[in-house]
Amino acid sequence: MPEQPVATGETYVVAIEELGSEGDGVGYVDEFAVLVGDATLGETVRIEITDVDSNFARGEVVDAEFDLT
């Protein structure tokens, strides 16, 4: 099994590119999906990874509205 590019407790800035089936925002770190509650489509947020599974992770917003340009 390949190693995941994220670990619990790490923080990242991600753009929310999709909405998951339960309404969570979905962003990506090195093409690895991160589900983010309380994030909306098109938003860019700083998240903290709270849980890592084999093919996705979960994160929480710690700061919002980043400009990646």
Side-chain angles (χ1 to χ4, degrees):
M1 176 169 74
E3 188 173 320
Q4 289 79 5
V6 300
T8 302
E10 294 179 336
T11 61
Y12 299 90
V13 174
V14 297
I16 303 302
E17 301 177 18
E18 304 171 18
L19 291 179
S21 61
E22 296 183 18
D24 292 335
V26 180
Y28 294 89
V29 175
D30 295 335
E31 300 181 13
F32 190 75
V34 180
L35 305 179
V36 183
D38 298 326
T40 58
L41 187 62
E43 187 175 31
T44 301
V45 293
R46 181 179 303 277
I47 61 164
E48 180 175 338
I49 302 298
T50 58
D51 187 43
V52 180
D53 201 347
S54 61
N55 58 353
F56 69 94
R58 292 191 180 276
E60 293 181 353
V61 175
V62 294
D63 202 1
E65 298 303 317
F66 280 84
D67 183 3
L68 295 179
T69 58

